[in-house]
Amino acid sequence: MADQDFWERVLETLSRIETQARENNARLEKRLDSLDTRVGNLERDVGWIKRKLEGKQEGTSKVLTVL
């Protein structure tokens, strides 16, 4: 194998590795965006549940005060 052939194969392999790395980064970015959206929704839902429970607790304490 001549030096020129060797370097061509090396450059070709590096090009394939670079292409695969770009594809992997794009997939990872999509997953991170999806995860960020899900965490945002979860925070919103937990906040709603927390406020709901706090409201029920206030209502219960008012009823107990009256009794």
Side-chain angles (χ1 to χ4, degrees):
M1 180 183 299
D3 277 347
Q4 184 64 29
D5 292 337
F6 173 76
W7 286 112
E8 286 176 7
R9 291 181 83 184
V10 168
L11 291 176
E12 183 181 311
T13 302
L14 286 176
S15 176
R16 279 190 274 134
I17 291 171
E18 183 180 11
T19 302
Q20 185 65 38
R22 285 184 186 149
E23 291 172 2
N24 289 343
N25 285 341
R27 274 190 274 147
L28 178 61
E29 190 68 34
K30 286 180 183 178
R31 286 184 176 184
L32 289 175
D33 288 342
S34 174
L35 185 61
D36 189 37
T37 302
R38 289 180 181 184
V39 168
N41 290 340
L42 182 62
E43 287 175 342
R44 181 182 46 112
D45 292 345
V46 167
W48 180 84
I49 292 169
K50 181 180 175 186
R51 288 188 304 275
K52 191 77 167 174
L53 290 174
E54 287 172 348
K56 283 188 178 200
Q57 184 178 11
E58 288 176 8
T60 303
S61 63
K62 287 180 184 177
V63 169
L64 291 176
T65 304
V66 171
L67 292 176

